[in-house]
């Protein structure tokens, strides 16, 4: 009897130490899109690294999106070593997100704010880019899905990183506020510009 109780205790401690990933309920259209994308990627030579199939891997990505996660996708081309490729893909995912943020900031300011000069915009954008890269480097998780395909003498890699949407938005707001402060714009505009820019990030 004591052995049975001990076994249950061990199992309970295992679940506490390693909590299960939380998935949402992907819609039928999400699953259909994932299957279609898997089929297209297979035609282009992509395969998963690991036991899961390409189709199941993409469906899990869709389920995590439904649970409130945002995918950051990084690509590395022509690498001969897997660890180097994964490192490059991680940096690419971070940099692509930073580039997307820069485009949002410029578009919002250029269309709605007419009393910030070009140098101030450049300072704000460069500050945002530097800070968001640093912040994402600290919070980006291990890839939820890794794809690869053979090339001439090497491999292409594509890694999917899933970040909680609330965490991502909180990070963006923090970075925008810091970049505004550094660019000398916070005192002049208070929260009005940072709120306005963050509204752009929240638009889907």
């Amino acid at each position: 009897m004591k052995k049975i109780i001990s076994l249950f205790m061990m199992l309970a401690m295992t679940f506490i130490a390693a909590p299960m990933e939380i998935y949402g309920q992907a819609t039928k259209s999400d699953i259909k899109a994932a299957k279609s994308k898997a089929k297209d990627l297979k035609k282009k030579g992509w395969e998963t690294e690991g036991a899961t199939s390409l189709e199941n891997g993409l469906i899990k990505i869709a389920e995590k999106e439904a649970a409130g996660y945002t995918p950051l996708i990084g690509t590395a081309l022509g690498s001969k070593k897997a660890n180097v490729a994964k490192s490059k893909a991680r940096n690419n995912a971070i940099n692509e997100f930073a580039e997307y943020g820069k485009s949002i900031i410029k578009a919002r300011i250029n269309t709605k704010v007419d009393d910030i000069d070009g140098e101030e915009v450049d300072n704000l954008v460069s500050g945002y880019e530097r800070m968001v890269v640093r912040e994402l480097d600290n919070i980006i998780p291990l890839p939820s899905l890794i794809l690869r395909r053979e090339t001439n003498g090497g491999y292409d890699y594509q890694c999917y990183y899933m970040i909680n949407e609330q965490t991502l938005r909180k990070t963006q707001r923090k970075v925008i506020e810091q970049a505004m402060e550094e660019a000398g714009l916070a005192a002049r505009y208070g929260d009005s510009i940072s709120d306005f820019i963050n509204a752009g990030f929240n638009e889907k």
Side-chain angles (χ1 to χ4, degrees), residues 15-28:
F15 284 117
I16 292 171
M20 294 177 65
E21 286 192 88
I22 299 173
Y23 296 103
Q25 185 64 49
T27 65
K28 289 183 179 179

Side-chain angles (χ1 to χ4, degrees), residues 15-155:
F15 284 117
I16 292 171
M20 294 177 65
E21 286 192 88
I22 299 173
Y23 296 103
Q25 185 64 49
T27 65
K28 289 183 179 179
S29 61
D30 290 334
I31 294 172
K32 184 178 180 181
K35 290 180 177 181
S36 177
K37 185 175 181 180
K39 190 175 181 180
D40 182 56
L41 287 169
K42 285 178 184 177
K43 288 181 180 178
K44 294 177 180 177
W46 291 98
E47 59 185 23
T48 59
E49 184 176 273
T52 189
S53 68
L54 217 166
E55 185 175 290
N56 286 339
L58 290 175
I59 289 173
K60 285 185 177 181
I61 293 296
E63 289 172 344
K64 291 209 77 172
E65 283 192 78
Y69 286 76
T70 296
L72 303 187
I73 304 171
T75 303
L77 304 177
S79 294
K80 293 185 179 181
K81 294 183 178 179
N83 60 333
V84 174
K86 291 171 188 176
S87 178
K88 287 182 177 179
R90 185 178 186 275
N91 290 336
N92 177 249
I94 292 172
N95 291 328
E96 285 291 319
F97 185 80
E99 284 293 325
Y100 164 74
K102 286 165 59 178
S103 67
I104 292 290
I105 294 170
K106 287 182 178 179
R108 300 289 283 185
I109 290 178
N110 290 337
T111 57
K112 296 291 183 179
V113 185
D114 57 10
D115 60 342
I116 299 179
D117 64 38
E119 184 177 353
E120 289 174 323
V121 174
D122 290 341
N123 290 339
L124 175 60
V125 169
S126 62
Y128 168 84
E129 180 179 27
R130 183 181 71 256
M131 294 176 195
V132 81
V133 166
R134 182 188 64 207
E135 292 294 328
L136 282 178
D137 191 44
N138 291 328
I139 66 172
I140 196 167
L142 293 172
S144 294
L145 179 65
I146 300 174
L147 307 182
R148 72 174 187 175
R149 66 180 175 186
E150 291 188 31
T151 58
N152 294 328
Y155 291 93

Side-chain angles (χ1 to χ4, degrees), residues 158-175:
Q158 195 174 92
C159 298
Y160 291 68
Y161 304 89
M162 307 302 292
I163 298 184
N164 180 275
E165 179 77 13
Q166 291 184 349
T167 300
L168 199 57
R169 296 297 168 234
K170 184 178 178 180
T171 299
Q172 285 176 319
R173 173 167 287 279
K174 174 185 174 182
V175 169

